[in-house]
Amino acid sequence: MSGGVDSTAAALLLRDQGYQLVGCTFRTRYTSPESLQAAAALARQLDIPHHIVDYSERFEDTVIRYFRDEYIAGRTPNPCVLCNRLIKFGALMEEADRWGCDKVATGHYARVQDGQLYRAKDTKKDQTYFLWQVSPEQLQRVIFPLGDLTKQEVRAYLETKGLTALAHAGESQDICFIKDDYRTFLNLPPCPGAYRLTDTLAKVNTSRAPLCHQGYAHYTIGQRKGLGVALGESAFVTHIDAARNEVTLGTHDELYTHDVRLRDVAFYGDPSLPVMAQIRYRSLPQEAYLVEGGVHFTEPVWAVTPGQSCVLYQKNRLVGGGLIQ
């Protein structure tokens, strides 16, 4: 329970369905006092026990360390995927056992059936992309009350419960611990290095001035703004070499590829069938085939970014994923 729109609606829906509830709110160094107060107030309204569990150190030692280490390695992490596996569906399962709970519920937009994950009814809010590392065994105990609702329907439901202000509250941010910019959060010192140009971009660059950057960790694949150079054509980050502190710039079209290498792959589907693969949360899934070491896309995909997740679907069922190399 975060005190926000989705977790509040999930708790109310379960109460209306006759479930006996126990509320749990995680506290980290980034949790606002207001959200703790809102979660506690809802628990009082529902007349259910409510626990605030301090995971500050655990969160720092897992999610935050991973987030920092990935940028230092020249990759772009997705901390929500790891947090779901280790905290929201790892630690939460431990608390559920301690309190004698059979099931665990959250406000994610997703559907689960027989330990298998399916896309939510609201495709614009679907959050299965962030849940691919949650195991089928864990999913056996999970309920997603919002999976068959749209966000608009969730807000309308809160209105019927008299929670008008909450029903019109804004969306939460993508990464809960980032308030401004990840570079500010990580306190990355400038580490000047040299840009390298691809052959295509070098041909249109007439400048002889040194091409310097702030340090490889300040950049991500596909980035166009904030490069600090003028080359006569739009430039994009196409490669990051952490060992050499080198950032390669190229053209838009040089970022297209058919083949994506993956590590830490999990797959639960039919390997003989194509998959719909999604390489970032905001991108559309595209047809691909499993190959040794990764996936091959039928049509090229743009700006494949090491560290991000490539999540695999067959129809509306999530059948696995992997981390992009």
Side-chain angles (χ1 to χ4, degrees), residues 149-267:
L149 299 174
T150 65
K151 186 75 176 196
Q152 185 176 2
E153 290 170 337
V154 167
R155 293 187 185 278
Y157 172 72
L158 290 176
E159 288 260 24
T160 68
K161 296 298 180 181
L163 300 174
T164 303
L166 184 59
H168 294 279
E171 297 285 346
S172 60
Q173 59 195 47
D174 288 339
I175 301 178
C176 65
F177 54 86
I178 301 293
K179 304 301 181 186
D180 183 14
D181 182 271
Y182 81 89
R183 302 165 187 85
T184 303
F185 175 82
L186 293 176
N187 193 26
L188 293 172
C191 181
Y195 283 120
R196 189 180 77 83
L197 302 183
T198 62
D199 291 342
T200 303
L201 195 58
K203 291 177 181 177
V204 300
N205 175 36
T206 59
S207 173
R208 294 175 179 266
L211 300 176
C212 299
H213 61 71
Q214 300 178 61
Y216 68 89
H218 290 77
Y219 303 90
T220 187
I221 300 299
Q223 182 176 334
R224 180 174 66 86
K225 297 181 179 179
L227 301 180
V229 293
L231 301 172
E233 183 173 330
S234 295
F236 299 79
V237 174
T238 60
H239 181 71
I240 295 172
D241 188 329
R244 295 183 179 182
N245 190 21
E246 186 176 81
V247 177
T248 301
L249 302 181
T251 65
H252 179 278
D253 289 350
E254 288 177 305
L255 280 164
Y256 280 105
T257 184
H258 283 273
D259 296 296
V260 177
R261 295 172 59 229
L262 302 177
R263 60 185 173 89
D264 301 335
V265 175
F267 188 72

Side-chain angles (χ1 to χ4, degrees), residues 7-67:
S7 66
T8 297
L12 288 168
L13 283 164
L14 291 171
R15 191 275 309 272
D16 288 352
Q17 293 170 19
Y19 283 92
Q20 183 179 350
L21 305 180
V22 175
C24 179
T25 302
F26 293 156
R27 177 195 284 128
T28 71
R29 296 175 187 175
Y30 316 98
T31 307
S32 70
E34 292 77 15
S35 66
L36 295 176
Q37 294 166 5
L42 176 64
R44 288 193 296 271
Q45 179 180 333
L46 296 177
D47 193 23
I48 63 173
H50 179 239
H51 303 272
I52 296 176
V53 183
D54 194 330
Y55 277 122
S56 298
E57 290 189 14
R58 190 166 181 170
F59 192 76
E60 292 290 327
D61 290 342
T62 56
V63 177
I64 300 301
R65 177 177 294 179
Y66 155 79
F67 186 74

Side-chain angles (χ1 to χ4, degrees), residues 56-102:
S56 298
E57 290 189 14
R58 190 166 181 170
F59 192 76
E60 292 290 327
D61 290 342
T62 56
V63 177
I64 300 301
R65 177 177 294 179
Y66 155 79
F67 186 74
R68 181 181 297 275
D69 288 350
E70 285 292 279
Y71 272 110
I72 292 173
R75 297 185 289 266
T76 304
N78 193 319
C80 299
V81 172
L82 185 71
C83 181
N84 280 327
R85 176 166 65 88
L86 296 183
I87 306 296
K88 292 183 180 178
F89 296 94
L92 187 59
M93 295 291 183
E94 298 171 10
E95 304 300 337
D97 291 338
R98 186 174 297 117
W99 300 324
C101 297
D102 299 315

